[in-house]
Amino acid sequence: MTELASLPNPFRNHVVLDAWQDTVDLTEIHADAFEACKAGIDSATRGIPDSLLIYGAAGAGKTHLLGRLQRHLSETARSAPDSVLRCVFSFVRLQTSPQLLWQHVRRRLVADLMRREQGLTQLQRLVAHQLGIVGGASARAGLLKLRVLRREDRRALLQHLRELGSKLDLPRNVCTVLEHLVFDENERDASAWLAGESLPVDVLGQLGLGEDQDEDREDAARIVVTALCRLAGETLPIVFCFDQVESLQRTATDEEALFRFGRMAADLNDADPNVFIITCLQAAFVDQFRRAVRQADQERIARRSVVLNPLTQAQVEKLVRARLEASHELQALRAQHPTEPLYPLDPSFIRSLPSEPWVPRRVLALAARAFEERQSGRAQPPPPVEQFLGRELNVRQAEARAELHPADTERILVRGAELIAEIGGGELIENDSEKADFVIAGDRRTAVSVRNEVDGRSLVARLADLVKHTPRKDGAKLVVVRDARLPIPKKAVKSREHLSVLQKRGVGFVEPTVEALAALDALAGILGDAKSGDLANEGSPLDAGKVIAWLKSLRGSVELEPVEELAEALFSEREQEIDTVEQDLVELLGRVHVAELEAAALELKRSPEEVLKVAHKATAHCLVLEGPPTLLLDVSGVVSETEVAS
Amino acid sequence: MTGKPRARKTSKPRVVPEDLQQVVLQTLQGASALKLGDLKKSLPVPYQPFAKEAQAIARELAERGSVPYFRPTKTQLVFFPEDPSARIEAVLRSHLKEPATEKELTELVADHAPGFQVVVKPWLASAVKQRRIHEHAALKGSRAKRYYIEPDLRAALKSVLTALQKALAKTDALGISREQVAKVLLDELGSSTWPTSASTAKAATNGESLDRSSRSSFVAELGALASENPQQAMLSVTELRRRLLLDKREFDAIALDLAREGAISLHHHDNAASMPEHERMQLIQDAHGRDYVGISLTRGA
């Protein structure tokens, strides 16, 4: 075992998936593209709208470049004498469905606005910036004013926010939520609303918000995003970085998705002259993008373009050296070999690389393998594709399971519809004329409508709409999907009535398990990365076709079981009843988490025997601990862990 | 008189480092135009005591063709990181916009490929012979010859053009249209239509002139495509191919040559294998089977 054996490989983690990710940066690489980004921000600062299209091969460093821009903006703000925000930065990885584009942008923008630095969120800093400008003072003075006013003169700050809202024609609900967020009050709920989550009526009441009754959630998201653009653009440039545009496509020939992206980005461009849009696109999509996106939209979202060229040999060497030099663990060892700039790699490593074109990801992957070879004394072949994908699935599934929130269910299902169709052997049809979220046409036609509203009154309106459209004109079976962690409360009488009507008309009701959602999210993420060239096995990109082939090979396996069960439930001929006692029990446990059987029965006005029977059946929500006294535990969302424990 | 016994001079045994050849190779490849006499200074300090051995290795590498070099005199050697002739040609193709004197060419190369200018003079002599560059008449009041990538057609056809001017005076007087004249001239040249890149390619009998003509068309059309799309840093190979109507092999060869010379950059398709064959055929394929979908002019090209 060499002394290298225990050291971490400095070349691993060569796929950059997020502009907020910290990476070793070599500014010489793609310096001209970086300058083009900065020029765009300068332009937007002067109120001249700008946009930039960045072309590059898979692994050429598109996301890495956006990360450099994000760090540059943060560092410029931090190191400036007044330490104020210079630009609002939002990074949007387009791993979503084209139907949910605006909702996705809304969620990402709000997440980025809520990032904190020096105790203040990006949103608070931009309000502070405006306080300074409006008051005729510096941005720094605005920052101080915000800190002071928040503590000492609430009324003055509220007055300013209201004036701003009126001047920028911001919707009332947006203004109200901004007030909460500026004062750090009800931050969790206020930011959840701003990001587009459905909230219970009592929470909406606490926030002072009206009901969420917008018919079209996409349109509602567009209104909020453009309002936030106006808010930011009033005094600061706002940069949107769109990455992985290709992953929007359902199939390799799907131009509708690119068309929709073009429309959305062009609208965003029009929202405010201070908006600067950066779009990253794989070189391979050059023809398709031009065909699919309207000329008028291209003129707005691709005013300029740059190409990330392959690396020169000198850049390759510098890239490898930069990684080695950044490794603290290697410092002492490298100091013993001052004449070997690539130590511990072989001096001939650069010359031994396969022929050009060299892209950073590929070079780093090869360096990682060479490093491992030095560590273990033998060359490690890349893992077989199936093994690599299986490992990816496990890692991503575990991450998804830990982070999944009921608000994610709609996004996961709509985005994963392509996979559900694949597993169910059907064809996916979007843009349903009868307003279902998606339709899968296989042996029989199934229309899926995700009804995940938490706010009871919004749910009533949407269920009533479904009742109106049932039975469907195309004869498809309608299936209503709702997150299992969102029981329909006992007091939501009207919603339950609508569900009962729907059930009588043969509509199915499916509650996907957390396991199924986590697996579907992980699989859709893998497929999305493959489509946008960001899925690489040791630096070699894996395309969507390989992922689909692997998926087919998984049929009947444990890994795919939760998703197959979900697909089976969606396509099932069986009547899927909505058990109101189960809904009541889930709601009760959601509130109290642990309940004695007797007390639960009393609360639900049912016999203990009946409640126990339901509790045994509702394994996704309830764990029964035999007594005496018999206890019922809320396990919604933690089903797999419970099973493992038992 | 007896003095202290003089210490006998003994030379330390010289152990040449095992990796000296690697170090020399890296030094030569990493430097821009390195004279053999300057090699010592460019070596890492621990290797400088072995300058003589390093020079011998450098000569050997040059003789084996492992590193590009130029021999300005019998004893001197200058090493380059890439073939100096190819580099100079690429610079001139990209940056030379009109005929220039040798001095101007040297300055242009010094600007765009520092160090390579020492080779301009000898390169020019051989390049003219090989018709890689063409002599043009000196400007009025100057005796300095000028050079350009394209031949001076007007000079070559000077007597023809003079005769044509005289003939046109007569044909105009007779009321013969210029189109009619052009048709006769084209018939005389053995062509019934205005030459297109494709017809030029077919009409050409000499392989070299065919290449040059197609290459010129390629460069001209690429330039036109770039000026029509000033906001697009990367142009579509499919679009360019559609406009040129060149044979696939010829189109691909020209593009790959220009990329090698540094005049253009080609951008590969990561997953061309998944494309339908007819679409894939529109891309450029290199000797390794790699497909290129995008093309861009390099800076200043």
Side-chain angles (χ1 to χ4, degrees), chain A residues 126-190:
Chain A
L126 83 89
V127 170
H129 199 275
Q130 287 161 355
L131 270 179
I133 304 288
V134 172
S138 67
R140 171 82 176 155
L143 207 59
L144 288 171
K145 197 170 169 184
L146 179 83
R147 289 186 195 272
V148 172
L149 289 182
R150 277 203 315 177
R151 278 199 307 270
E152 293 171 12
D153 196 347
R154 184 184 175 91
R155 187 179 293 177
L157 188 50
L158 275 176
Q159 182 60 27
H160 163 75
L161 288 172
R162 281 167 195 170
E163 281 168 12
L164 195 66
S166 157
K167 183 180 164 195
L168 300 175
D169 194 22
L170 302 182
R172 184 194 166 274
N173 279 355
V174 172
C175 288
T176 309
V177 163
L178 287 178
E179 287 169 14
H180 287 289
L181 294 174
V182 166
F183 287 101
D184 277 337
E185 292 168 353
N186 303 309
E187 187 188 316
R188 194 166 155 269
D189 291 331

Side-chain angles (χ1 to χ4, degrees), chain A residues 3-39:
Chain A
E3 50 194 330
L4 281 174
S6 59
L7 299 184
N9 189 330
F11 301 104
R12 283 287 163 212
N13 301 323
H14 41 256
V15 179
V16 181
L17 287 175
D18 194 325
W20 298 90
Q21 192 176 323
D22 208 10
T23 52
V24 177
D25 190 23
L26 192 62
T27 52
E28 181 196 303
I29 296 175
H30 307 323
D32 49 347
F34 181 58
E35 289 305 317
C37 293
K38 287 202 298 182

Side-chain angles (χ1 to χ4, degrees), chain B residues 187-208:
Chain B
D187 286 344
E188 197 58 31
L189 290 169
S191 170
S192 58
T193 54
W194 291 108
T196 61
S197 49
S199 61
T200 311
K202 279 180 195 154
T205 49
N206 175 302
E208 200 180 335

Side-chain angles (χ1 to χ4, degrees), chain A residues 16-21 62-70 88-95 104-113 115 122 238-245 276 278-280 534:
Chain A
V16 181
L17 287 175
D18 194 325
W20 298 90
Q21 192 176 323
K62 298 182 285 292
T63 314
H64 185 102
L65 181 71
L66 299 179
R68 185 187 299 169
L69 181 65
Q70 178 274 319
V88 176
F89 180 89
S90 187
F91 172 75
V92 186
R93 237 174 113 205
L94 287 164
Q95 287 227 352
H104 183 68
V105 173
R106 176 181 183 176
R107 197 165 43 247
R108 293 308 324 148
L109 174 61
V110 171
D112 287 340
L113 285 175
R115 285 178 193 270
Q122 220 181 175
I238 175 165
V239 52
F240 282 95
C241 303
F242 292 111
D243 200 11
Q244 295 196 336
V245 179
F276 172 45
I278 300 177
T279 305
C280 294
D534 284 335

Side-chain angles (χ1 to χ4, degrees), chain B:
Chain B
M1 196 175 135
T2 57
K4 278 185 182 175
R6 193 181 287 173
R8 241 179 102 192
K9 264 192 177 177
T10 53
S11 57
K12 282 186 186 172
R14 288 170 60 80
V15 182
V16 178
E18 279 177 13
D19 59 351
L20 184 62
Q21 179 159 338
Q22 298 281 15
V23 173
V24 171
L25 187 62
Q26 277 178 359
T27 308
L28 297 179
Q29 287 173 338
S32 164
L34 181 67
K35 286 183 189 160
L36 186 65
D38 293 337
L39 176 61
K40 183 179 177 181
K41 281 188 279 180
S42 299
L43 288 172
V45 176
Y47 294 83
Q48 287 182 358
F50 307 98
K52 270 192 176 171
E53 288 85 342
Q55 287 193 355
I57 289 172
R59 276 201 196 90
E60 197 189 328
L61 287 170
E63 279 162 19
R64 285 210 315 246
S66 303
V67 284
Y69 70 98
F70 166 61
R71 197 185 288 276
T73 65
K74 275 188 180 173
T75 52
Q76 263 190 21
L77 271 179
V78 186
F79 295 93
F80 294 91
E82 59 182 295
D83 178 9
S85 298
R87 183 81 179 103
I88 290 172
E89 200 172 344
V91 168
L92 298 185
R93 285 199 181 279
S94 305
H95 302 285
L96 189 62
K97 305 293 180 206
E98 56 187 13
T101 61
E102 186 189 314
K103 188 169 172 249
E104 288 165 340
L105 293 182
T106 308
E107 286 167 357
L108 189 70
V109 171
D111 282 346
H112 295 280
F116 286 80
Q117 67 273 21
V118 294
V119 190
V120 170
K121 192 182 172 80
W123 171 81
L124 203 50
S126 62
V128 170
K129 277 186 200 158
Q130 293 167 12
R131 297 184 189 167
R132 304 180 79 80
I133 195 159
H134 303 270
E135 283 185 4
H136 281 232
L139 287 172
K140 272 187 185 170
S142 165
R143 290 168 63 189
K145 277 184 192 165
R146 297 181 306 148
Y147 302 88
Y148 193 54
I149 302 295
E150 300 293 338
D152 190 351
L153 275 179
R154 290 202 161 266
L157 297 173
K158 194 176 174 185
S159 54
V160 178
L161 293 174
T162 312
L164 182 62
Q165 288 303 328
K166 284 182 188 167
L168 284 174
K170 286 182 189 168
T171 53
D172 286 351
L174 291 169
I176 299 167
S177 74
R178 294 287 170 102
E179 282 81 2
Q180 286 171 294
V181 175
K183 193 172 179 305
V184 173
L185 290 174
L186 282 171
D187 286 344
E188 197 58 31
L189 290 169
S191 170
S192 58
T193 54
W194 291 108
T196 61
S197 49
S199 61
T200 311
K202 279 180 195 154
T205 49
N206 175 302
E208 200 180 335
S209 61
L210 176 147
D211 285 346
R212 274 207 302 274
S213 161
S214 303
R215 187 182 160 111
S216 304
S217 308
F218 186 103
V219 172
E221 209 56 57
L222 178 60
L225 188 60
S227 7
E228 285 163 28
N229 299 281
Q231 79 286 14
Q232 286 172 13
M234 189 174 79
L235 301 160
S236 157
V237 165
T238 309
E239 174 67 23
L240 182 62
R241 194 186 289 280
R242 200 177 297 133
R243 292 166 68 129
L244 268 163
L245 303 170
L246 284 175
D247 168 70
K248 175 170 169 61
R249 272 173 56 192
E250 194 178 7
F251 180 97
D252 289 7
I254 294 169
L256 293 165
D257 269 353
L258 287 169
R260 242 189 317 274
E261 290 161 13
I264 60 168
S265 287
L266 293 175
H267 303 276
H268 68 279
H269 193 302
D270 302 292
N271 186 26
S274 68
M275 296 172 81
E277 194 51 31
H278 69 278
E279 279 183 30
R280 191 175 179 183
M281 287 293 284
Q282 300 295 312
L283 310 184
I284 294 166
Q285 196 169 65
D286 70 9
H288 302 280
R290 203 174 286 116
D291 295 280
Y292 297 87
V293 65
I295 186 166
S296 58
L297 293 161
T298 50
R299 187 177 292 185

Side-chain angles (χ1 to χ4, degrees), chain A residues 335-349:
Chain A
Q336 295 166 25
H337 301 266
T339 57
E340 293 180 59
L342 298 182
Y343 185 85
L345 299 187
D346 194 90
S348 65
F349 170 72

